[in-house]
Amino acid sequence: MKLSVSILFATLGRFTAAFVPFTSASRNSFLTSPFALQRQRYQQINRFARGGSTERRPQSESVFSLEASPIKSDFRLIAAGSSSRDFGGLDVSDAKGFRVIFVLGGPGAGKGTQSDLMLAEYPCTHLSVGQLLRDETSKEDSPHASLIHECLVGGKIVPVEISLALVRKAMEEAKGNSTIFLIDGFPRNLDNLEGWTNCMHEVADVLGVLVYQCPLSVLEKRILQRAKDSGRSDDNLESLRKRFRTFEEDTMPIIDTLRQLQDDTSMKVWDISGDQALDAVWKDTRKAINEVVINDVLDANIRLIKAIEGKDTETFHRLSAKEMFEDQSVAQVMDAHEEGIDLAGAIVKGSSFEFITGTKVSVSYTVESDSISFKETRIWSYNASSGWTNIHFSRSPVV
């Protein structure tokens, strides 16, 4: 696809879907069984997430009205819209605020192991809601410490507003630009998803969901092996089976709901087989996380070209390695690098990329106009203080 450099930076804007409240005519009737009620409510949510009809016929004369628990949230708000920009044939989506990936899977499916591997190689920050809650109970000045402790000891659910307040605080305190937040084990249920939609959609975008699928028989073997060293009270077969059942009954329907949102948003759901060899699981995880990281790199590359085109020295300085400016001013460096390069009316074609490491990426493309044609390669590197910066570039004429 050929677009002018100026047009290519335009975006169609963030998708915002207006929430239409349910009327009495569109409310469903449900079976009185608590599990059947929950399952059918999830089914209604799935249809709502797809923008479909919520009409259903009663399945039993004994019914329970939805009046007691109305659906309040449009879950499409948790992610950026499906609009994107084109950069030489590669789509680049937009995201605002904190950028999040949910990491989900049954107990022992490999969420923690894969999160540790991502932390070691990519610009990520790992947040466990459970650990944040446990840490909060030890803070003497916390207004919620006693309530959280009471819930954890009594096996009760901590109010989602408190959990998300801690998540947001942790995000704000995290060091690093352009970091990707891995939210481990969240959302676990409908309350979690509704809470996130209501409390977080204005400050964060969910980029995707990593789902590690693993059969119970494999999980049992892993948990028994882990129990030898972990010291965790819930690492036993009885607890595992209860937790796995909860995951299937509460979390899987939420994953199905999130999967439905892919048509209307830029969010993606990656299903990964957790019962493979560790290297194979990691390969699949890297493939997924690379999709998120390359979007960040391409976005930085677009902004840098736009800065060059508009002589925007401030943005050029922010997106370039500081070593480039040791002996010269920003304006001098920009003039030296871009001397004789006129991007007016130019188009970008044939973009490609290569991961050198999880924090160093090469981007190549061809720039063509009536007066000039060249291939350009830029090397981007990530560091926590400045995010993605261009550390090297080269140009060669197109023959």
Side-chain angles (χ1 to χ4, degrees):
M1 182 182 295
K2 296 183 178 181
L3 294 177
S4 73
V5 172
S6 297
I7 294 176
L8 112 87
F9 306 109
T11 178
L12 296 177
R14 177 179 173 83
F15 173 89
T16 53
F19 168 63
V20 180
F22 289 100
T23 64
S24 58
S26 65
R27 291 191 176 98
N28 295 336
S29 296
F30 295 90
L31 298 175
T32 53
S33 163
F35 178 66
L37 170 63
Q38 181 186 58
R39 177 182 294 278
Q40 293 178 49
R41 188 180 181 209
Y42 281 135
Q43 290 171 348
Q44 184 191 31
I45 292 167
N46 284 338
R47 289 193 299 279
F48 178 57
R50 296 193 300 268
S53 171
T54 59
E55 294 287 355
R56 295 194 68 211
R57 294 181 180 178
Q59 299 185 18
S60 170
E61 294 181 0
S62 178
V63 298
F64 185 93
S65 172
L66 188 61
E67 290 280 351
S69 54
I71 298 171
K72 303 175 182 179
S73 306
D74 183 346
F75 300 137
R76 290 169 291 189
L77 296 176
I78 70 173
S82 57
S83 62
S84 62
R85 297 162 289 170
D86 176 87
F87 184 70
L90 297 176
D91 289 334
V92 184
S93 60
D94 296 307
K96 66 173 180 58
F98 300 120
R99 295 147 58 258
V100 171
I101 292 178
F102 292 147
V103 183
L104 296 170
K111 301 186 298 296
T113 299
Q114 294 301 309
S115 293
D116 288 343
L117 291 171
M118 285 185 280
L119 284 176
E121 185 163 338
Y122 292 97
C124 296
T125 299
H126 179 246
L127 296 177
S128 167
V129 176
Q131 189 60 52
L132 289 173
L133 291 170
R134 288 188 288 272
D135 291 344
E136 190 70 12
T137 61
S138 63
K139 299 178 180 179
E140 295 182 356
D141 58 344
S142 170
H144 306 301
S146 59
L147 174 59
I148 295 172
H149 177 74
E150 179 183 341
C151 290
L152 295 179
V153 172
K156 302 176 183 177
I157 297 177
V158 177
V160 68
E161 293 82 5
I162 293 178
S163 297
L164 292 178
L166 297 179
V167 169
R168 181 169 177 173
K169 181 181 178 182
M171 288 178 170
E172 292 170 347
E173 294 176 349
K175 296 180 179 179
N177 294 307
S178 302
T179 190
I180 300 163
F181 288 96
L182 306 173
I183 310 296
D184 187 348
F186 192 96
R188 293 180 183 272
N189 52 36
L190 177 59
D191 182 58
N192 284 178
L193 182 56
E194 288 185 331
W196 183 279
T197 305
N198 295 331
C199 299
M200 301 292 288
H201 80 270
E202 292 184 349
V203 297
D205 270 333
V206 179
L207 307 178
V209 187
L210 285 166
V211 183
Y212 294 95
Q213 307 278 9
C214 201
L216 178 59
S217 59
V218 175
L219 297 179
E220 288 180 349
K221 293 178 182 178
R222 290 182 179 177
I223 292 296
L224 289 177
Q225 181 62 36
R226 189 173 74 179
K228 297 178 181 179
D229 305 309
S230 70
R232 288 177 51 166
S233 60
D234 57 352
D235 273 353
N236 59 77
L237 286 182
E238 182 180 358
S239 294
L240 165 67
R241 289 167 182 166
K242 289 180 180 178
R243 290 159 62 200
F244 186 76
R245 188 181 309 115
T246 298
F247 173 76
E248 285 197 315
E249 295 177 357
D250 290 356
T251 309
M252 282 305 300
I254 292 301
I255 293 172
D256 292 338
T257 298
L258 294 171
R259 194 174 281 112
Q260 298 295 336
L261 301 180
Q262 294 179 102
D263 293 337
D264 294 323
T265 72
S266 60
M267 185 190 73
K268 295 184 178 181
V269 177
W270 299 284
D271 290 290
I272 297 175
S273 297
D275 56 345
Q276 306 175 88
L278 179 59
D279 288 347
V281 178
W282 175 229
K283 180 179 179 181
D284 289 345
T285 299
R286 289 183 64 187
K287 183 179 179 181
I289 198 73
N290 282 352
E291 293 184 35
V292 176
V293 172
I294 193 57
N295 191 86
D296 292 346
V297 175
L298 293 175
D299 177 72
N301 209 117
I302 288 173
R303 287 185 286 121
L304 181 64
I305 294 179
K306 186 177 180 181
I308 294 169
E309 184 184 28
K311 304 299 181 182
D312 179 356
T313 56
E314 181 179 351
T315 301
F316 182 85
H317 181 253
R318 185 169 61 251
L319 292 173
S320 301
K322 300 303 177 280
E323 292 77 10
M324 293 183 179
F325 311 106
E326 291 180 349
D327 302 319
Q328 294 177 299
S329 69
V330 177
Q332 289 174 325
V333 172
M334 179 182 286
D335 290 341
H337 286 187
E338 314 304 331
E339 183 179 2
I341 303 297
D342 182 9
L343 295 178
I347 58 174
V348 175
K349 301 193 304 182
S351 295
S352 62
F353 58 88
E354 178 184 357
F355 276 83
I356 302 169
T357 68
T359 55
K360 185 175 290 185
V361 182
S362 171
V363 178
S364 299
Y365 44 88
T366 299
V367 178
E368 293 184 358
S369 70
D370 294 337
S371 60
I372 194 169
S373 180
F374 59 88
K375 182 174 182 178
E376 182 169 85
T377 296
R378 292 186 181 272
I379 308 296
W380 292 86
S381 180
Y382 176 86
N383 66 73
S385 61
S386 54
W388 288 100
T389 56
N390 179 216
I391 61 173
H392 175 77
F393 78 96
S394 63
R395 295 190 183 105
S396 59
V398 174
V399 179

